[in-house]
Amino acid sequence: MDSYDPRMDEPPPIPVVEQENIPAPPPARPSSTVSPPPPPPPFAGEVTSGENANAIGLIGFVFSVLSAVTCLVPIYGWGCWLVGFVCSCIGLSRRPKSFALAGLIICLVSAMLMVGFFVIIISASTK
C-alpha cells in the first residue's frame, strides 16, 4: 500500500522527517559596488586640514607679525621679515589667500618702518 491509488479517498500520509538544528546562514555582505556615504560637512568653527588650509600663508602671517613687532631689532626683525615675506608670497598662490595677503601687507608696512628707522638712525648719527 505504498503507492497512491486514485480510487482511494485519501492519499497516503506523508512521512515526517525530523530536521536537525541547522545554524542560519550568515547575513549577506553588501556588494562591493556600494560606496559608503560621504562624510558630513565640517562645522562652522571646526579647523579643517587639507584642501581648506593654507599653512604656508599662515606661517607667513605669523612671521610678518613678528617682524612688525621686532622691526627695531636688526638681525631678528629682518630675518622674521624675510621669512614672512617669502612665505606670504608663496601662500598667495594657494587658497584661501586671506592670511597670506594679510601677511604680505604687514610685511610691506614693517619694511617701511624698518627703512624709516634705519634712515632716522643714519641721519642722526651723521650730525
Side-chain angles (χ1 to χ4, degrees):
M1 229 175 174
D2 288 342
S3 64
Y4 174 68
D5 188 7
R7 294 177 288 173
M8 295 177 62
D9 291 344
E10 294 182 27
I14 299 174
V16 176
V17 179
E18 291 186 29
Q19 294 182 352
E20 298 177 15
N21 287 337
I22 301 173
R29 288 183 154 175
S31 172
S32 63
T33 60
V34 176
S35 62
F43 297 111
E46 185 178 0
V47 176
T48 58
S49 62
E51 63 191 44
N52 292 335
N54 186 354
I56 197 82
L58 184 61
I59 291 169
F61 175 76
V62 169
F63 275 96
S64 65
V65 169
L66 284 174
S67 73
V69 171
T70 61
C71 64
L72 294 177
V73 181
I75 303 299
Y76 185 72
W78 300 339
C80 287
W81 180 84
L82 183 64
V83 171
F85 183 76
V86 169
C87 290
S88 293
C89 288
I90 293 171
L92 283 176
S93 66
R94 300 180 183 171
R95 292 199 178 266
K97 298 181 179 192
S98 56
F99 278 117
L101 184 62
L104 188 63
I105 292 170
I106 293 171
C107 272
L108 294 176
V109 170
S110 65
M112 286 188 280
L113 287 174
M114 283 189 274
V115 168
F117 288 137
F118 184 72
V119 167
I120 290 171
I121 290 172
I122 294 296
S123 67
S125 66
T126 58
K127 290 183 181 180

